[in-house]
Structures are given as C-alpha cells and as structure tokens.
Amino acid sequence: MKKYDVVIAGGGAVGAACAYFLSRDTDLKIALIDLKKPGNASRASAGGLWAIGESVGLGCGVIFFKTLSKLHSEAKGEEVPVMRPHQLPDCFFEFALTSNNMYPALHQEMLEKHGVDFKFERTGLKFIMYNEEDRLYAEQITQGIPHLADQVRWLDAEELKKEEPYVTDDAIGAIDFICDHQVNPYRLVDAYLEGARQNGVSLYLNTEVTSVIRNGNVVEGVKTAEQTFFCDTLINASGAWANELYQQATGRTMPVYPVKGQIVLSERMPKIMNGCISTSDCYIAQKDNGEILIGSSTEEKGFDTTNSLDKIQELSQGAMKCLPILKESSIKRCWAGLRPGTPDELPILGPVDGVEGYLNACGHFRTGILTSAITGQLMTELVTGKKTTLDLTPFSVERFEEAAQKAG
Amino acid sequence: MKSLKRTRDITPLPSRNFKITVDDQPVDACEGETVLSVLLAANYARVMENDRNVASGAYCGMGVCHCCQVKINAKHKQRACQTLVEPQMSVETLTNRFKEEGIKHD
Ligand SMILES: Cc1cc2nc3c(=O)[nH]c(=O)nc-3n(C[C@H](O)[C@H](O)[C@H](O)COP(=O)(O)OP(=O)(O)OC[C@H]3O[C@@H](n4cnc5c(N)ncnc54)[C@H](O)[C@@H]3O)c2cc1C
Ligand code: FES
C-alpha cells in the first residue's frame, strides 16, 4: 500500500505538466501513473502552440468552413449561408494565451534547471490565402479579434514570397499570427516528466489505473494491477479515456470522447519553412529535425487509431498544393491519435460538486499541448487552495448538467 | 563519353535493351529490370548516402529497408530496388539533398 498527497492518473502532456508544476511549487508527495494506450494524444500531436490560430478555428474550423463555401458556390446567387470562422469564446482565448505566454520562460527553466530541451521555436502561424473566399474568411477572423490586432500581420503575395519562398505562386497572401509558435511535443512531455522526476515525483510508467477507490462521496485513491495508492487528491488526466475514471470516482458520466486525428510526416528536409502554416486544407509545420508534419483530420470513430488512404491523400494533396516542393519528398510515417473531445470544445477542469479528493484535468481537445502549462499551474493552485489565475466556472463539469437540465 | 560496363550479369542481357545513365555515364539496361539490378551488374556496391553522410549499400532488395535510395530523374530518395528502368532515365548515386543544398538540421 502506498500513500501520496496527490496521484495523477495519465501521463500525457496534461498529466505530466500537473506533475511538474505541483512538484516545482509544493513539497507534496506526488505519484504519476500512466499506461500509454494506443492513441495517446500527446505523442500523436503536431506540437503547435497556436493560441490564436486554434481559438479562431483554423485547423478543424477551416474544414467546417470549406463545407459551407462549397454550399455557397452551389447556391449561386440564392440565399448564401453566412460564413463565419468557428471562433471559441473569450474564456478560451484567455486560457490559451495565458498558457502560450508561459512557454518562453518554461523553456529556459527546463534547460537550466533540468537539462532538457523541448525545442521551443518562434515560428508564427500563417494562414495562406489562395482566393477571395479565403481572404473573406481571413477578414472575418481578424474582425472577430479586434483586441488582438497587434498580433496579426497581413502579408501580400510578394511579402509572403519573401518569408516563405517555397509557398506556391498561386497564394495571394497570408495573415500571420505572430504569437503562435511550436514545440516538439514528445520532448515537451519528456521534459515535464524529467523535471518532475528530478523534483521527486514517483513515476509509475507502463502502469494502468484499474479502478478508483471511493468511500461515499470521497475519492480515497486508485488501484493498479499490483498496488493500491491512497491519496488526498486524485487528478484525472487520462485524456480521451477520462470518462472511465470519472464514472468510478463520481458515479456520473461526463462527455469526454475520442476525436481521431491523422497525421502525415515527411522524411527530413532541408529548412524549407520559416514558420508554421495553415491553409483551408491542412496545417503544415517543419519540426526541429527537418521533418514536415501535415495534419490533421477530425473524425469521431471511437477508439480507432487506424490510418485511412483518403485522409492521407487529402492531407498530402493539401500540403503539396501549398508547398509544391513536397512533391519531391517521401512520406516517412503516418499515424493517428485521439484528442480528448468535449461538446463545446472547452476542457473540463477542477473539482466536481459533492465529490471530495478529486480534480478533473481533461477534455483538452485539439490544444492540450498548448494549454498543458496553464493546466499544470491551475491544478497546483487548486491543490494548494490558492485563488486560481483564471476563473474556472466556464470549465467546470457542471456546465453539461446545467445544459442538460435546460434542454430537458 | 566513358560508358559503364555490366560485368556482373549472370545471364546475357536480352537484345531488346536501351541505355540509362548512372552518374552521367551511359549503361545498358533492359525493360523489366530494376535500377538496383543495373547498379549491381555494373559493380556498384555503395549506392546511397544518408542524411548523416553515411554511405550504404542495398540490403533487403525488396523495398523495406530504404538503404538503396538514389536520385532518379532529379528526384531524391527513390528506392533503386523498387524502381523499374525506363529509357533515358538518369540515376545518381551517393547524392543527398542535405549535402547538395548545404543545409543541416539537427
Ligand atoms: C493528430 C493530433 C494533432 C494535435 N495537434 C495539436 C497541436 O498542434 N497543438 C496542441 O496544443 N494540441 C494538439 N493536439 C491535441 C493534444 O494532443 C491533446 O489535447 C493533448 O495531448 C491531450 O493531452 P492529455 O494528457 O490530456 O491526453 P493524452 O496525451 O492522451 O494522455 C493521456 C494519457 O493517459 C493514459 N491513460 C488513460 N487511461 C489510463 C488509465 N486508466 N491508467 C493509466 N493511464 C491511463 C493514456 O494512455 C495516455 O497516455 C493534437 C491531437 C492530435 C490527435
Ligand atoms: S534494398 Fe531495401 S529498400 Fe531497396
């Protein structure tokens, strides 16, 4: 039998960040338990810190828009559907941007204190426009975020060519979100874990939490196949699988479910990109080792992690359209990961009404790499009883119960 | 121009053959064979240079190991063992994008 102050279930970016920040800022006795299931999102991710880009719905949002713009051209003069970028609420911008701002210092700290480098790169994120519809979309995006005007740069075709010489001549320009950057996601998770280990966290890797121990409305610990862990606080950071532990901890269910994303990775290439790119077909990022990463599909297919030819083709074609030089490169690897999705695309954070000794840190959907840092900080504040940096009301699990009651 | 001799063929080449160039030298090839079989017949052992400037020779001969990648018709990293010869094909061995373009990644 083991006794800890805090047990963290799940060691993806979110769980690992919780372990790091808790161990950095407190003297608590902490254990992290992780079994890497197929589909682990952090290892599958692109590593984009696209705080504005993701908040305004680039990535999956553009695919949503494309369906609409197809309707538009089909409607020809008839009632045209309103084309709106898929923008997330203000609370999400704050959450994402606060986290984003933590990375430069965190990168230094990890290098200096722990000797690990998660390859933070200042890249910007450019939305490449091919036609007037794209320009209209870009204008709507910028109109939706007047308070962030100083983070947006408009580039005409010539300026774009100068900054990204390999982008197709068909591009008519781009908008660049200058505060959006990237990291190497594997190294980020490893950095958090290594920092946590050096700070004294007990890591139980390749170990599954098989059940949660609950006594009435108090969560008392967890069991693995071989051991029992008692704890004062259990943090559920088990990604797309979070509902399983939630049910055991609370007797209720919450809407966290897997949303599959497929990725195509090229062989190592000489540096052909200066920044990250999003188009209306895909996003493209050249990683620190030269590989070009192309993502990503958004599919609700349960816990399926297979690749499919149609998506790989779509992504590759989208990337070759943007960067014709990619026609000269080979695909090295394709994979799929499971984002922990929620119905409103917001994470689920913090305590649960009427349940003691339990915190949610899940539902980070398509931005859990970006928002892992702030999540680690918020969980540390909750565990130590401090006032949280951000208001957590919009992220509480109760929002779904209220929504259900209203609907019912 | 110096042309390459195929000295290691086991059976004679059929008469219906054509030329390709390997490292700018013409060499006989016949329809249906792979670039790797031409290279081996012409006595090439080192065919590929990888991104870390290490030379390698074909290993599996069946498309799996990626140890036989050469530049074919100006395209880098084509597997010699999986590419069939075509008239006028141009093959370059021991080339590498990183070396040619002088840009290093790490
Ligand atoms: C293709 C793709 C691209 C993405 N790109 C980006 C991006 O560019 N930027 C960004 O910010 N985000 C991106 N995301 C989203 C991001 O990856 C996720 O939001 C984030 O990784 C979620 O982290 P997590 O720790 O909650 O989940 P995970 O990384 O999935 O970690 C959860 C861990 O808990 C383990 N676990 C589950 N149940 C148990 C149990 N019972 N016992 C023990 N362990 C358990 C799992 O196996 C897993 O290892 C992307 C996601 C995908 C799929
Ligand atoms: S020899 Fe192995 S792939 Fe060609």
Side-chain angles (χ1 to χ4, degrees), chain A residues 12-14 34-35 37 40-42 45-46 48 209 365-370:
Chain A
V14 172
D34 180 64
L35 176 78
K37 303 193 178 185
N40 165 295
S42 302
S45 96
V209 172
F365 192 39
R366 55 192 158 93
T367 57
I369 300 299
L370 164 66

Side-chain angles (χ1 to χ4, degrees), chain A residues 119 267-271 286 288-290 327-330, chain B residues 51-52 69 74-78 97-98 101 103 105-106:
Chain A
K119 305 276 176 180
E267 58 176 316
R268 280 159 28 103
M269 295 277 283
K271 195 165 169 59
Q286 185 160 28
D288 55 293
N289 59 4
K327 290 178 194 155
E328 313 293 312
S329 73
S330 318
Chain B
D51 292 346
R52 302 192 189 276
Q69 291 177 323
K75 261 187 158 171
H76 281 286
K77 293 218 173 168
Q78 306 299 303
R97 187 180 265 146
F98 288 80
E101 294 171 30
I103 308 167
H105 253 290
D106 234 333

